[in-house]
Amino acid sequence: PLLNKSEDFIGCIYLDKRTDTMPFGDEHRDLIKIFSSYVGISIENSRLFEKIQKEEIVKNNLKRYLSSSIAETVINKTNLTLGGKEQDVSIMFIDIRNFTPLSEKLTPRQVVDLLNSFFEFASKHIFDNKGTLDKFIGDCIMTIFGAPLEDNKHADNAVKSALAIKKEF
């Protein structure tokens, strides 16, 4: 049998000889036991590695919309449930002033580069102030402060974020 560290059955190895002249001896059985232990450990390590990779993918996807600290908290929270709850939050919409006339004068590549740099720049300030990206709408970013984790300073954080973006962009 193949067993993991907890002695749980995870598979088996079947060996057969083509001739009956020399049956498996004790030394063969010991070697097979050692081999099956290594195979069981390898299978368990492979499963753990796969689990870690999946968790990394989830974490990286969360970090696209949440600040690192909020993403870590959400990942480590064990009692998350569907349905949500009612709480006070601040919603902030940010867009580039006169974007349409500006985009008409730029090449498509320049428009994409401008949007990417704006989104990256704004996201940094949003995350620095505990904001959560909700969606991108053209040149607009919809942001929530105070969710998914409650924050008593959500309004202050939204204003700080807006002022930092306005000042530097």
Side-chain angles (χ1 to χ4, degrees):
L2 294 174
L3 307 174
N4 64 14
K5 291 179 191 173
S6 306
E7 300 288 318
D8 298 325
F9 178 80
I10 58 174
C12 64
I13 295 177
Y14 173 77
L15 295 174
D16 196 0
K17 288 182 89 172
R18 292 182 183 226
T19 63
D20 291 334
T21 56
M22 290 186 61
F24 289 120
D26 290 338
E27 67 279 355
H28 294 114
R29 281 191 274 284
D30 290 341
L31 183 60
I32 292 167
K33 284 181 186 177
I34 292 169
F35 178 74
S36 68
S37 294
Y38 281 120
V39 171
I41 290 169
S42 295
I43 290 171
E44 183 172 12
N45 286 345
S46 176
R47 288 178 179 169
L48 289 172
F49 182 72
E50 189 177 308
K51 181 181 175 189
I52 289 169
Q53 282 183 317
K54 286 179 183 176
E55 288 173 358
E56 271 305 306
I57 291 169
V58 169
K59 187 187 300 185
N60 288 336
N61 284 337
L62 281 174
K63 286 183 179 179
R64 291 176 62 200
Y65 299 99
L66 305 172
S67 68
S68 292
S69 61
I70 292 175
E72 290 294 333
T73 304
V74 168
I75 289 167
N76 294 326
K77 234 179 173 185
T78 56
N79 61 347
L80 290 177
T81 58
L82 293 176
K85 66 179 182 174
E86 205 170 299
Q87 67 189 50
D88 287 335
V89 299
S90 295
I91 308 289
M92 178 173 70
F93 290 89
I94 309 166
D95 70 345
I96 301 172
R97 185 180 320 168
N98 297 320
F99 177 75
T100 301
L102 175 64
S103 68
E104 291 170 349
K105 296 175 185 166
L106 300 174
T107 67
R109 180 80 244 157
Q110 290 172 318
V111 172
V112 168
D113 290 343
L114 173 67
L115 287 174
N116 285 340
S117 81
F118 172 66
F119 291 155
E120 183 178 332
F121 166 80
S123 296
K124 179 194 175 306
H125 288 290
I126 291 163
F127 291 160
D128 286 348
N129 290 289
K130 301 180 183 176
T132 301
L133 292 176
D134 184 58
K135 62 183 74 150
F136 298 105
I137 311 161
D139 68 316
C140 178
I141 302 172
M142 180 179 170
T143 307
I144 302 170
F145 291 84
L149 303 176
E150 286 189 52
D151 179 11
N152 293 334
K153 296 183 179 185
H154 59 84
D156 292 339
N157 289 332
V159 171
K160 283 182 199 173
S161 181
L163 290 174
I165 292 167
K166 182 180 178 191
K167 179 182 175 185
E168 293 185 35
F169 195 74

